[in-house]
Structures are given as structure tokens and as C-alpha cells.
Amino acid sequence: MGQQQLLLLVLATVIVGLATVAGIQAFSEGQAQASQDALVQRGTGIASDLLGAHDKPSQLGGITLGSDGSPGTWANAIGQPSATIDAPGAGDGGECIIKSGSADASSFNNLSSSDIDATVDCGNGDGADVEVGIDADASGDRIETVIVSSASV
């Protein structure tokens, strides 16, 4: 009888160990996805704020994306101190950087290099990179978000 109890104890220990490993793996994957989602949300939010400032008349503090000003000036117009903006929830080092147009449009599906007036590049140093292209032309404002690379688990 003692041998059977010992076998059950070993079996229970192995099952608990495997469940713990599976739980840690699931948590890590969820954390990586949450970090990437935070970068997408922050980058898209900044791009929306930039388009809102672009649509505002210059007398009211509006900006013109692509043709004048600089990313620092654009950041100030949306209430940010600089073109490098923290991305809370994206992990340590999560940040978004506002850049002027003419970005590499190869990763975008609907925007060409000539369409892009500004970009917002977001990353967290863990491999999660998101790029948001902004087309603020007269035919309609467009924002396209592309996940350049996913976070490593």
C-alpha cells in the first residue's frame, strides 16, 4: 500500500508542475499581447490627436502636417512636451515617436510614400513595434496602423 501512495504522490506532483508551467506560459503570452495592444492604442490615439490638430484653423492653434513645422511643434499642439511620448501599459521603455512624413510605406497596405504626411512609431524594446501612418490630404483623413513585429514571449 505504501508504494501505491508514493506513486500517487509523484503523479500529483508532476501534474501540478505541468499546470504551473502552462499557467506561466499563458500569462507571458497574455502580457506580450497586452503590451502590443497598448502600443497600438497609444499610437492610434496620438495619430487621431494630430489629425484633430491638423483640422483646426491655425488661428486656434491648428497645425499643417507634412508641409510645415516639426514633430516637436506638432507634439506641442497636442499637449505633449516633446515628439517622444511615453506609452503607459506597454512595458518598460514603451514609447511613441512622432516623425515627419516620407516614411517607408512598404509595410502599409493603403498608403503610399507620397500619401504619408506623418508617422507615429511605437515600441517597447521587447520586440513589439507598431507604426501608424497619417495621410491628412484634402480627400479625407486616413490613419493606418501596422504591427511591424510582435513582442517576444
Side-chain angles (χ1 to χ4, degrees):
M1 190 81 140
Q3 205 170 22
Q4 186 179 13
Q5 289 174 340
L6 186 60
L7 184 60
L8 287 173
L9 181 64
V10 169
L11 183 62
T13 303
V14 168
I15 290 172
V16 168
L18 289 175
T20 302
V21 169
I24 290 171
Q25 181 68 24
F27 177 79
S28 296
E29 289 173 5
Q31 187 178 20
Q33 184 63 45
S35 177
Q36 184 170 313
D37 291 346
L39 290 173
V40 169
Q41 188 273 334
R42 186 65 170 146
T44 306
I46 292 168
S48 295
D49 290 345
L50 287 170
L51 278 177
H54 175 79
D55 291 341
K56 227 190 260 188
S58 59
Q59 297 88 344
L60 298 176
I63 57 173
T64 303
L65 292 173
S67 64
D68 64 349
S70 66
T73 304
W74 301 339
N76 289 334
I78 61 171
Q80 298 295 332
S82 72
T84 301
I85 302 167
D86 287 337
D92 293 337
E95 64 182 16
C96 295
I97 301 171
I98 300 172
K99 297 181 178 181
S100 57
S102 70
D104 176 22
S106 62
S107 57
F108 293 106
N109 296 321
N110 300 314
L111 296 177
S112 66
S113 292
S114 61
D115 289 337
I116 298 174
D117 295 310
T119 60
V120 181
D121 295 336
C122 301
N124 66 356
D126 289 339
D129 293 313
V130 173
E131 188 170 12
V132 182
I134 304 167
D135 177 11
D137 67 2
S139 65
D141 296 336
R142 292 188 295 174
I143 297 175
E144 184 174 345
T145 303
V146 175
I147 297 172
V148 178
S149 62
S150 298
S152 55
V153 180

